[in-house]
Amino acid sequence: MLTQEIAKEIVKQTTIRLNRNINIMDEKGTIIASGNPDRINQAHFGAIEVLKTGKPLIIHEQDRHHWLGVLPGINLPIEFQKVIIGVIGITGDPAELKEFGELVKMITEMLLNQSFMAEQFEWKQHLKELFLKTYLRKRLIKIR
């Protein structure tokens, strides 16, 4: 569900609007999209903590030593159908990020849900077309 393509687009659009680095991590805590391309495919230990606890993680400058390679900011679980499927991290002063962090999370989850719904609609359309073709083919065989 949380594909690298969707994650990259979320990071791109969010980074432009917020002028902050955004990381999106998969269900294992691996960075799959980032404003800093060098971070892609690296483990994000703050995200791993969020995946373990299911709770947001706020990292202040003085707390960085608890998680290898993290920067100050917030890490929020990304949920789809009540299951945590990834983590979104926003780098910066946690006090400044708190206000819009939940909004970024909500928009991310809405985009994932919209993508899922579109995919489901496409499958339904495909099945209808397949059924109709099969039905018409059988009718034509009977007529001949």
Side-chain angles (χ1 to χ4, degrees), residues 4-135:
Q4 194 167 32
E5 292 77 28
I6 291 172
K8 281 181 181 179
E9 190 60 29
I10 292 167
V11 165
K12 177 182 169 189
Q13 295 302 323
T14 308
T15 300
I16 290 169
R17 285 159 179 77
L18 298 180
N19 197 28
R20 306 257 190 236
N21 184 50
I22 308 289
N23 294 319
I24 296 185
M25 288 66 71
D26 64 13
E27 73 284 352
K28 296 174 188 158
T30 302
I31 300 171
I32 59 171
S34 176
N36 177 359
D38 294 337
R39 302 274 325 261
I40 294 175
N41 294 322
Q42 292 182 4
H44 189 289
F45 295 98
I48 293 170
E49 180 72 18
V50 171
L51 292 165
K52 283 181 190 173
T53 65
K55 297 179 182 176
L57 176 65
I58 298 171
I59 301 172
H60 297 278
E61 182 64 41
Q62 63 271 21
D63 301 326
R64 286 181 57 190
H65 66 279
H66 293 295
W67 300 278
L68 182 65
V70 300
L71 295 172
I74 59 172
N75 293 280
L76 303 164
I78 300 170
E79 296 179 55
F80 178 73
Q81 297 182 346
K82 299 184 181 185
V83 175
I84 296 175
I85 61 166
V87 177
I88 187 160
I90 308 170
T91 305
D93 179 3
E96 294 175 11
L97 301 175
K98 236 178 183 176
E99 288 189 26
F100 56 81
E102 285 295 326
L103 185 60
V104 172
K105 170 187 160 71
M106 181 190 72
I107 291 169
T108 298
E109 291 171 346
M110 286 174 58
L111 285 170
L112 290 170
N113 194 47
Q114 183 179 18
S115 173
F116 176 76
M117 300 282 279
E119 189 176 304
Q120 293 297 306
F121 178 77
E122 286 177 31
W123 270 106
K124 285 180 183 176
Q125 288 300 106
H126 178 69
L127 288 173
K128 286 178 185 177
E129 290 171 14
L130 189 60
F131 173 78
L132 187 58
K133 286 178 185 177
T134 303
Y135 175 78

